[in-house]
Amino acid sequence: MAKRRLEDAIVASRALSVGIKLIDQFRSATNLFSHDVHYHSGIFSLRFSDELDQIAVGYGDGSIRFFSVTNGKQTNEYLPSSLPPLEHLRRLSMDLPIMSLKWHPLVTHLLFAACVDGTIRKIDKQKNELNVIGYEPDNELTSMDFSSDGKYFATVGKDAHIRIYDSEKCSIIHKYHNQRTDTQLEQIHSQHDNTGEDLTCTTGHYYRAFACKYHPDHKDILFTGGWDNIVKIWDIRQKEAMNEAIIGPHICGEGIDARGNEILTASWTRSNSLQIWDFRTMSLLKTLNIPNAADEKGEFMYSAQLCDNRTVLAVGSGTCACHVINIETNQEIARLPLSKPIYALDSMLGGRVFAFGGLDKFCIAHMKDN
């Protein structure tokens, strides 16, 4: 309890330092700043810094830009052209979308990016450097996430494998193999570590995986999901998937979140796209209502997050809007529309400040108590 109070006090101090009011009730929401992104092939990822002062934005042309949370102005940019020349010789293209951005949970000046070209990139804010630290050949990365202690990160993508990395060495320590029929057993068993131990299994996904999410309270528990309509649960200390799974969610973006005993999924489906599940039983607790969406162009959600005050944020391509929904009342608190599909979403301060972006704009918004 004392640790939690200290953490809350630190967050409150950071919020005040960047001029953010910590409201207790979410009754509406409004945009603070917005930027057009047509010239950079849209936005596919967003991530607020731990210091709360900046947001990193990943674009469709492979660039990453930082913006101030307080005034919305660009503060820095990292272009594919700034990578060492050797990296350009190794790859056919370095200007493909940045699909996922994650700050290291402990070394907070390090930002990691998962890219469609199969590279894992790292930005060191202190050194103002962009580098490639990993490469998955013949894969298109779609998501990555860190364990809460920062020791490991996971990646998923087109090849449906799930790879667990040692974050300090940036080396693969375990690989959950896909379930495709073309998997060759001799290829699986030929991958060993120095002790001869097999590092792979065949209980991964069948189709492309789009989301991986570590549970914030359980550093060894990882959720993954994709096109095969199943959310798998992994204890990374084990070599096989856990027996429990969530059947149904059709994940096409970073559409998995977890908080306490609740798991939120965002599915790219016409209806019933936002669902909350019980982590203990994997049973469905609630399907969230998105007013009029099914009667228009459908829901088709890409990403969603659980926030304070029993609130969910969600974005997608059906309504082309960011939705704020109260879980208890199952009512929409706010809807912030754009004109084209929205792929990326992130929030800070328990959802009091959030950002979303897609093919035409990215916006920084905040909750209001009136």
Side-chain angles (χ1 to χ4, degrees):
M1 184 65 70
K3 180 181 178 183
R4 177 61 182 271
R5 286 197 296 267
L6 176 60
E7 290 174 345
D8 290 345
I10 292 172
V11 167
S13 175
R14 289 174 178 170
L16 289 173
S17 70
V18 295
I20 297 170
K21 179 184 177 182
L22 291 178
I23 62 174
D24 294 325
Q25 299 294 325
F26 299 169
R27 293 190 172 94
S28 63
T30 188
N31 287 333
L32 293 170
F33 316 105
S34 66
H35 289 270
D36 291 330
V37 298
H38 299 91
Y39 298 110
H40 304 295
S41 303
I43 282 176
F44 291 84
S45 53
L46 296 161
R47 193 61 47 176
F48 285 103
S49 68
D50 188 58
E51 288 79 13
L52 312 182
D53 59 337
Q54 293 185 97
I55 184 169
V57 181
Y59 289 83
D61 62 2
S63 60
I64 300 171
R65 291 174 175 82
F66 289 2
F67 292 85
S68 167
V69 172
T70 55
N71 60 29
K73 294 182 179 179
Q74 182 177 315
T75 59
N76 210 337
E77 68 177 2
Y78 297 88
L79 306 178
S81 58
S82 67
L83 288 166
L86 181 60
E87 297 297 342
H88 293 272
L89 293 175
R90 289 172 174 169
R91 329 286 179 215
L92 293 176
S93 176
M94 301 289 288
D95 55 358
L96 296 174
I98 306 292
M99 297 299 291
S100 184
L101 290 169
K102 296 296 186 311
W103 296 92
H104 193 290
L106 301 181
V107 189
T108 56
H109 63 275
L110 298 181
L111 175 70
F112 291 72
C115 313
V116 168
D117 64 5
T119 61
I120 303 167
R121 305 179 193 179
K122 180 179 74 175
I123 291 175
D124 188 323
K125 279 205 311 179
Q126 291 183 349
K127 297 179 180 179
N128 196 29
E129 289 181 353
L130 170 67
N131 289 293
V132 173
I133 60 166
Y135 179 51
E136 297 182 11
D138 302 318
N139 195 17
E140 297 175 5
L141 292 176
T142 52
S143 181
M144 69 176 297
D145 197 30
F146 277 92
S147 59
S148 59
D149 60 5
K151 291 183 178 180
Y152 308 105
F153 67 82
T155 65
V156 296
K158 179 181 178 181
D159 67 7
H161 302 321
I162 298 132
R163 295 171 176 86
I164 309 299
Y165 286 78
D166 179 307
S167 63
E168 184 177 355
K169 299 177 181 178
C170 295
S171 59
I172 298 173
I173 61 168
H174 195 74
K175 180 179 177 183
Y176 299 106
H177 219 278
N178 66 37
Q179 295 188 63
R180 294 173 184 167
T181 56
D182 60 358
T183 298
Q184 299 297 315
L185 290 178
E186 59 268 23
Q187 292 178 339
I188 297 173
H189 294 298
S190 67
Q191 299 183 45
H192 299 276
D193 64 6
N194 293 332
T195 64
E197 182 182 359
D198 183 11
L199 297 177
T200 67
C201 70
T202 57
T203 55
H205 289 278
Y206 188 84
Y207 295 116
R208 182 190 298 250
F210 270 95
C212 61
K213 172 68 178 179
Y214 275 97
H215 196 294
D217 302 326
H218 304 280
K219 61 183 176 63
D220 297 309
I221 300 300
L222 176 71
F223 305 96
T224 61
W227 281 357
D228 53 4
N229 301 334
I230 183 171
V231 173
K232 295 207 166 194
I233 302 158
W234 312 85
D235 183 332
I236 64 169
R237 296 166 296 185
Q238 306 298 322
K239 295 183 61 177
E240 303 289 336
M242 296 173 66
N243 292 329
E244 299 83 358
I246 296 173
I247 308 300
H250 185 69
I251 307 294
C252 295
E254 292 198 305
I256 302 175
D257 199 14
R259 201 181 231 213
N261 288 321
E262 292 182 334
I263 303 168
L264 171 67
T265 58
S267 295
W268 201 76
T269 53
R270 182 174 185 82
S271 60
N272 302 325
S273 63
L274 294 176
Q275 295 179 309
I276 297 175
W277 310 79
D278 191 319
F279 177 42
R280 296 160 295 188
T281 64
M282 303 303 148
S283 59
L284 179 64
L285 296 175
K286 181 173 284 190
T287 297
L288 298 180
N289 180 46
I290 302 174
N292 304 318
D295 298 329
E296 298 173 359
K297 295 182 179 180
E299 299 175 5
F300 298 106
M301 293 298 168
Y302 283 117
S303 184
Q305 290 189 357
L306 292 161
C307 301
D308 288 352
N309 294 304
R310 302 293 291 155
T311 303
V312 163
L313 292 167
V315 298
S317 63
T319 61
C320 297
C322 180
H323 301 266
V324 186
I325 301 170
N326 183 283
I327 296 173
E328 297 299 333
T329 64
N330 208 353
Q331 293 182 340
E332 189 176 67
I333 297 172
R335 179 181 298 200
L336 305 177
L338 296 181
S339 61
K340 294 184 178 180
I342 304 173
Y343 300 117
L345 171 71
D346 193 32
S347 63
M348 67 180 195
L349 298 172
R352 289 165 178 81
V353 178
F354 56 98
F356 55 97
L359 292 182
D360 59 343
K361 292 179 181 292
F362 105 84
C363 303
I364 299 177
H366 74 121
M367 298 291 186
K368 300 175 68 178
D369 56 4
N370 54 36

